[in-house]
Amino acid sequence: MRTGLFYTSARILLLVISVVLLYLAGARGFLLLALAFVVSALASYVLLSRQREMMAGALNRRLSKMTAKAAEFRGRIEDGAAENDETGDRAAR
């Protein structure tokens, strides 16, 4: 969570810096915004690669935990269904 917040904040900061620098360079209106998004995207690709990898790793770990819990839950459901089937078979006899 912290890594994602830091990465997002850094991206926004790069966008603001790009807007200010391009405004001072004379860009206005739609051109200013379009160039600012392109410049900040390129800058974040270069400058924030380490943070992006850290965030991807954190998300990957979180997803792995959720997948393991889902598999455990699925196993419990299957065990319960099998037990229920056995109980139903005994009751039918």
Side-chain angles (χ1 to χ4, degrees):
M1 173 91 173
R2 214 177 297 170
T3 55
L5 183 62
F6 177 77
Y7 179 75
T8 303
S9 300
R11 289 281 311 254
I12 291 170
L13 182 63
L14 283 173
L15 179 63
V16 169
I17 290 170
S18 298
V19 167
V20 169
L21 291 176
L22 290 168
Y23 182 82
L24 293 174
R28 302 286 188 269
F30 179 74
L31 179 65
L32 171 66
L33 290 178
L35 285 174
F37 277 109
V38 170
V39 168
S40 69
L42 292 172
S44 70
Y45 183 75
V46 173
L47 299 174
L48 299 177
S49 63
R50 184 169 154 236
Q51 286 78 12
R52 188 172 41 255
E53 288 175 9
M54 287 173 46
M55 185 176 67
L59 288 172
N60 213 1
R61 283 189 298 277
R62 191 170 183 183
L63 182 61
S64 295
K65 287 179 186 177
M66 289 175 60
T67 304
K69 285 182 181 181
E72 179 185 335
F73 184 69
R74 213 172 311 128
R76 284 189 208 165
I77 289 175
E78 290 171 359
D79 291 344
E83 185 178 313
N84 193 19
D85 288 345
E86 290 174 10
T87 306
D89 289 343
R90 277 189 252 139
R93 291 182 201 165

